[in-house]
Amino acid sequence: GRKYGYKLENKFVVYEEKVNGENWFGINLDGIIHIRSRTIWKREYPTLPDLTKEKLIEDNPDITSERVDEILAKLEARRNNPQKSKWWKALDDTPGLKDFLMSNPNLGVFGELINTKGGFDYGVPTGQVRVFPFDLMKLDGTFWNPVERYHLLNNYGIQLPFCYNLKNGIYEEMLFDRALCEKLAEGKSNHNPKHVKEGIVVSSLSEEVIDGDRLKLKWVGNSYLEKSTDESEVTIE
């Protein structure tokens, strides 16, 4: 946002809180739900390695017999009590999300997988992971505008990232304001005041595309960057 914000000048925009999680995508194709992270399609139950005592010793000549027994025991315990992938568990933990996907085939949901990053639970109960959707994509690669997205997902009771335009269920038109962006990006999260806000996302109200790029920009808060250890987040070219 600080680099490309000028592209939003004199435009109506939507201001939403940027929540800190992992990328999640789900879609219903021909009655079957498919889920992926940012780059990898996920199985509902991760495939476990086919390890044997002989294979472990062959690949790790210095391994102790106690360590071999420990590894094989843990593997057997996981086979007897398989753990669902967190990307799939989120489908169960997020109220309304499975119903939405089954009722809206060929419509992809992009969201943040929440309560997987330490210190950023956004009020999600311990032991649960949820998806906060931030985009709806059609099969042709185009996206629903923010207002349409809100109304459709809200019909299923799905929680969305906090939106500053939304007042009593009605979207207020707001022009782009750089000073407001800097202000909104700071402070405590609207979802859980116990932790700092990551920042905001500012997007064109009309779902505008310029030279193939969507006009949707991230404004990361300085207070979040001061705590971040991810160099890719704090580098501004």
Side-chain angles (χ1 to χ4, degrees):
R2 295 182 176 92
K3 183 176 182 180
Y4 295 106
Y6 68 91
K7 292 180 179 289
L8 288 167
E9 294 290 348
N10 301 315
K11 297 180 183 294
F12 287 107
V13 297
V14 172
Y15 299 94
E16 297 171 290
E17 180 173 340
K18 171 71 177 73
V19 293
N20 187 8
E22 299 179 72
N23 193 268
W24 188 97
F25 176 80
I27 190 169
N28 166 16
L29 299 175
D30 298 322
I32 300 174
I33 293 177
H34 304 268
I35 294 174
R36 76 165 192 234
S37 62
R38 184 179 297 278
T39 57
I40 301 173
W41 293 100
K42 299 292 184 178
R43 296 178 183 271
E44 188 170 0
Y45 291 92
T47 303
L48 298 176
D50 186 17
L51 292 178
T52 64
K53 184 174 184 178
E54 292 72 23
K55 180 65 173 175
L56 281 170
I57 294 174
E58 179 183 345
D59 293 344
N60 306 275
D62 297 328
I63 196 170
T64 65
S65 58
E66 290 82 4
R67 180 58 178 157
V68 169
D69 291 341
E70 180 184 357
I71 291 173
L72 292 178
K74 288 183 177 179
L75 189 58
E76 184 64 20
R78 291 182 64 185
R79 285 198 180 98
N80 293 332
N81 184 29
Q83 299 297 307
K84 185 176 289 191
S85 161
K86 63 184 177 182
W87 277 270
W88 279 89
K89 187 176 186 301
L91 188 64
D92 298 328
D93 290 350
T94 305
L97 183 57
K98 184 180 293 186
D99 288 341
F100 175 84
L101 287 173
M102 294 308 298
S103 301
N104 295 274
N106 304 323
L107 189 56
V109 177
F110 282 97
E112 289 287 343
L113 180 62
I114 299 302
N115 210 10
T116 64
K117 297 281 186 89
F120 291 89
D121 60 39
Y122 296 99
V124 175
T126 302
Q128 290 190 19
V129 287
R130 292 184 184 173
V131 177
F132 282 19
F134 57 74
D135 263 330
L136 291 179
M137 186 181 73
K138 305 171 187 176
L139 280 183
D140 64 3
T142 61
F143 291 82
W144 286 48
N145 74 47
V147 179
E148 293 174 334
R149 168 182 25 107
Y150 163 75
H151 287 299
L152 182 57
L153 289 167
N154 189 57
N155 286 337
Y156 291 82
I158 300 173
Q159 186 173 12
L160 306 176
F162 182 87
C163 179
Y164 295 89
N165 300 66
L166 196 58
K167 307 291 174 61
N168 298 318
I170 299 174
Y171 261 98
E172 289 189 0
E173 289 190 341
M174 298 176 69
L175 282 168
F176 172 73
D177 185 324
R178 182 179 292 269
L180 180 60
C181 289
E182 297 291 351
K183 179 180 179 180
L184 295 180
E186 306 299 331
K188 300 297 184 179
S189 170
N190 292 284
H191 296 284
N192 187 349
K194 292 183 178 179
H195 54 73
V196 70
K197 190 187 304 176
E198 182 182 351
I200 60 171
V201 175
V202 187
S203 53
S204 168
L205 181 61
S206 59
E207 184 52 41
E208 189 171 351
V209 177
I210 300 177
D211 297 328
D213 295 321
R214 297 174 68 208
L215 198 49
K216 184 165 186 169
L217 305 176
K218 180 169 68 174
W219 235 277
V220 181
N222 290 317
S223 55
Y224 171 80
L225 290 176
E226 288 173 357
K227 297 178 180 296
S228 177
T229 58
D230 186 345
E231 292 185 2
S232 68
E233 289 182 320
V234 300
T235 301
I236 300 178
E237 296 179 356

